[in-house]
Amino acid sequence: MDSESGEAFPASIEAAWGLRERPHKGPKRGLTLERIVSAAVKVADEDGLDAVSMSRVGNELGSSTMALYRYLATKDELLTLMLDAAVGPPPPLPEGLGWRRGLESWATSMRAAILAHPWTVHLLMPKGPPATPNQLAWLDQFLQILQDTRLPASAKLATQLLISGHVWSHVSITAAITLDTEPGSLRRWREYEPFLRRVTGGGRLPGLRAALDEGAFGDDAGAPDDHFVFGLERALDGVEAHIRSLG
Amino acid sequence: MDSESGEAFPASIEAAWGLRERPHKGPKRGLTLERIVSAAVKVADEDGLDAVSMSRVGNELGSSTMALYRYLATKDELLTLMLDAAVGPPPPLPEGLGWRRGLESWATSMRAAILAHPWTVHLLMPKGPPATPNQLAWLDQFLQILQDTRLPASAKLATQLLISGHVWSHVSITAAITLDTEPGSLRRWREYEPFLRRVTGGGRLPGLRAALDEGAFGDDAGAPDDHFVFGLERALDGVEAHIRSLG
DNA sequence: GTCTAGCGTGTATGGTATACGCAGTATCGC
DNA sequence: GCGATACTGCGTATACCATACACGCTAGAC
């Protein structure tokens, strides 16, 4: 009665919320969504995201490939739930931090949660509205942190967009540098600076060349974490000024 | 002599810079990297990124699948060059804008360039350091815009991280809403608000619930562009305050 | 004129997601 | 108790995919 024809959100996501009533007939189910997802996470942790195939996950569970499709409609659903499980819920916030330190903590925790399973970086591109329990829990915590400010809700969401975008930027680059286990990837970063010198020769790309000459790409350039903190603080400065302007 | 054993960067990228000396022997080449890439872009524009297969691109050019491998070592290289070609170079900046309006313009142009080919969103995850001509041209323009400020080069780079992360956030969500042509995706957004009401029932996720009750997810919520502008302005406010503090 | 590097192509390999049908099982309505 | 039935896990089959490799040919180098 409630929904017209089909479900708007996949059954596997409803199941992740525990909203699915038990089916009553037929044989007992031999697997659990949770077991499937954590097996897939284990595979990704051990052998990378590319190693996660339906048959590999099935084997890992002592089941067949096709058994998984009794729990998931597509592989995409599995990936969505893997991201949700790997990132996990946000750690509880210390009390009385104030919104600014709260958001700092939120962003730092999110960065850490993602980098704890570097393959999650490749799943951050949203395929639809955020709908899984942990993803929404992170969003919820962000909004709670801003609750006592005078920011309207849409500004809170826009702020979340800004901060999470920055986190994404940072983890993407970090993952590209450190996660990449392909041969030659380290060499690529080592030879990056000379490469840039080459392509900025003859007056091309003067802005980039100036940064190079200032040593911004050298070995003694700041750690990527410094870039993360810098951007985060500037963003929060801007938000703070705006909040103040609201009285 | 210059490089020890192999090239750190793929030959196709060197070719994109026009740095490749012509090979002299053998039959004339029937194709061009440029022709291959633009054929692939055409396929992606018409039928989506999933339709871009080596055989499809080969067919599109009247060639065989394997001919492409004389120009590209892997499909990944093709995707990298597709992104570079689709985004294109940054539009020339109006003179005398000042850094703040310059960065606003930069971010807005970048957003527009990405959304002009929505499939590029799925290629924004960096696979290594940015090395293609147009990507570096965007970075260069960003750095040029900040050239007259007292910001040290590493802060300029960190600022670029912040702004481009925000652009990514925004285009990702925009693409997830509008680009998604799968059946049921529109319904999914339509039913998103009721879905959130359901999972925030019983006191769960109170921050999110409050935002819901404030109408932040309703049909009359601000356009996503408003969120983009809000975040961008806050970020620039923070950068501006920091620049001022440098004297 | 011969040599050979580089070209385009056809075929083969090992992988992928997933549609479909089958045989068995456990609960429901009676 | 006893079908009927809905659901289970699984084996097979399909249609892709990227790409390794070997072949015959072409055209510049010597």
Side-chain angles (χ1 to χ4, degrees):
Chain A
M1 276 282 208
D2 275 326
S3 59
E4 309 246 351
S5 58
E7 316 291 335
F9 289 88
S12 63
I13 288 184
E14 306 258 343
W17 283 96
L19 295 176
R20 224 28 173 205
E21 75 271 35
R22 290 242 134 282
H24 289 86
K25 292 170 64 164
K28 284 184 222 159
R29 314 195 94 184
L31 293 173
T32 316
L33 242 195
E34 211 185 336
R35 288 224 300 141
I36 294 172
V37 171
S38 70
V41 166
K42 196 176 134 222
V43 170
D45 280 339
E46 287 171 0
D47 295 327
L49 195 56
D50 287 348
V52 177
S53 69
M54 298 303 264
S55 86
R56 170 76 184 270
V57 174
N59 279 357
E60 213 78 14
L61 292 164
S63 294
S64 74
T65 304
M66 296 308 293
L68 308 183
Y69 285 96
R70 296 286 179 194
Y71 301 79
L72 298 156
T74 66
K75 186 185 179 180
D76 249 33
E77 292 185 16
L78 176 58
L79 295 174
T80 298
L81 294 172
M82 286 173 67
L83 174 64
D84 193 69
V87 169
L93 258 189
E95 289 287 334
L97 270 190
W99 71 264
R100 174 151 186 156
R101 310 253 302 184
L103 291 192
E104 278 170 13
S105 166
W106 185 94
T108 306
S109 299
M110 164 129 280
R111 178 185 63 149
I114 291 169
L115 291 180
H117 303 270
W119 47 267
T120 54
V121 173
H122 298 279
L123 301 177
L124 293 179
M125 164 73 42
K127 297 186 197 312
T132 51
N134 291 329
Q135 277 208 13
L136 288 181
W138 281 91
L139 175 57
D140 177 69
Q141 191 180 73
F142 193 99
L143 296 171
Q144 281 189 53
I145 292 169
L146 290 175
Q147 209 153 38
D148 294 337
T149 66
R150 292 182 169 281
L151 239 36
S154 80
K156 290 177 189 158
L157 288 173
T159 303
Q160 200 265 347
L161 204 71
L162 174 63
I163 302 298
S164 63
H166 183 58
V167 171
W168 178 84
S169 260
H170 180 265
V171 298
S172 297
I173 292 198
T174 302
I177 296 177
T178 65
L179 152 86
D180 201 345
T181 61
E182 287 165 48
S185 134
L186 226 152
R187 272 191 67 220
R188 199 132 129 185
W189 280 99
R190 206 191 314 283
E191 296 194 18
Y192 190 42
E193 212 246 3
F195 173 83
L196 289 181
R197 291 204 172 274
R198 193 145 60 94
V199 300
T200 57
R204 277 173 308 190
L205 306 179
L208 187 54
R209 181 53 169 235
L212 271 168
D213 289 340
E214 223 180 297
F217 291 88
D219 289 336
D220 54 346
D225 290 17
D226 293 342
H227 288 200
F228 176 71
V229 170
F230 178 88
L232 181 57
E233 293 307 313
R234 297 296 76 70
L236 294 178
D237 286 348
V239 173
E240 184 167 352
H242 188 254
I243 288 179
R244 276 195 221 284
S245 79
L246 298 176
Chain B
M1 279 282 206
D2 273 330
S3 58
E4 310 248 348
S5 59
E7 317 289 338
F9 289 88
S12 62
I13 287 184
E14 305 258 343
W17 283 98
L19 295 176
R20 223 35 175 198
E21 75 269 33
R22 289 245 135 281
H24 290 86
K25 290 172 61 165
K28 281 185 223 160
R29 310 193 97 184
L31 293 174
T32 315
L33 243 196
E34 210 185 337
R35 287 223 303 141
I36 293 172
V37 171
S38 72
V41 166
K42 196 175 136 223
V43 170
D45 280 340
E46 288 171 358
D47 295 326
L49 195 55
D50 287 347
V52 177
S53 69
M54 297 303 265
S55 86
R56 170 74 185 271
V57 174
N59 278 357
E60 214 78 13
L61 292 164
S63 294
S64 75
T65 303
M66 296 309 293
L68 309 184
Y69 285 96
R70 298 282 178 196
Y71 301 79
L72 298 156
T74 67
K75 187 186 178 178
D76 250 35
E77 293 184 18
L78 175 58
L79 295 175
T80 298
L81 294 171
M82 283 172 70
L83 174 63
D84 194 70
V87 169
L93 259 188
E95 288 289 333
L97 269 190
W99 70 263
R100 174 150 187 156
R101 311 253 302 183
L103 291 192
E104 278 171 14
S105 166
W106 186 94
T108 305
S109 299
M110 163 129 280
R111 179 184 62 149
I114 291 169
L115 291 180
H117 303 269
W119 48 267
T120 54
V121 172
H122 298 279
L123 302 177
L124 292 180
M125 163 76 42
K127 297 186 197 315
T132 51
N134 291 329
Q135 277 207 15
L136 288 181
W138 281 90
L139 174 57
D140 177 70
Q141 191 182 72
F142 193 100
L143 295 171
Q144 281 190 53
I145 291 169
L146 289 175
Q147 209 153 37
D148 294 336
T149 67
R150 291 181 170 280
L151 240 37
S154 80
K156 289 177 188 156
L157 287 174
T159 303
Q160 201 265 345
L161 203 72
L162 175 64
I163 302 298
S164 62
H166 183 59
V167 170
W168 178 84
S169 260
H170 181 264
V171 298
S172 295
I173 294 202
T174 302
I177 297 178
T178 65
L179 150 86
D180 200 344
T181 61
E182 287 164 48
S185 134
L186 224 152
R187 270 190 69 221
R188 199 132 129 183
W189 281 100
R190 205 190 315 282
E191 296 193 18
Y192 190 43
E193 211 246 3
F195 173 83
L196 290 181
R197 290 202 174 276
R198 194 146 59 93
V199 299
T200 57
R204 281 174 306 193
L205 306 180
L208 187 54
R209 181 52 168 237
L212 271 168
D213 289 340
E214 223 179 299
F217 291 88
D219 290 337
D220 53 347
D225 290 16
D226 294 342
H227 288 197
F228 175 72
V229 170
F230 179 88
L232 180 59
E233 293 307 313
R234 297 296 77 70
L236 294 178
D237 286 348
V239 172
E240 184 167 352
H242 188 256
I243 288 179
R244 275 194 223 282
S245 80
L246 297 177

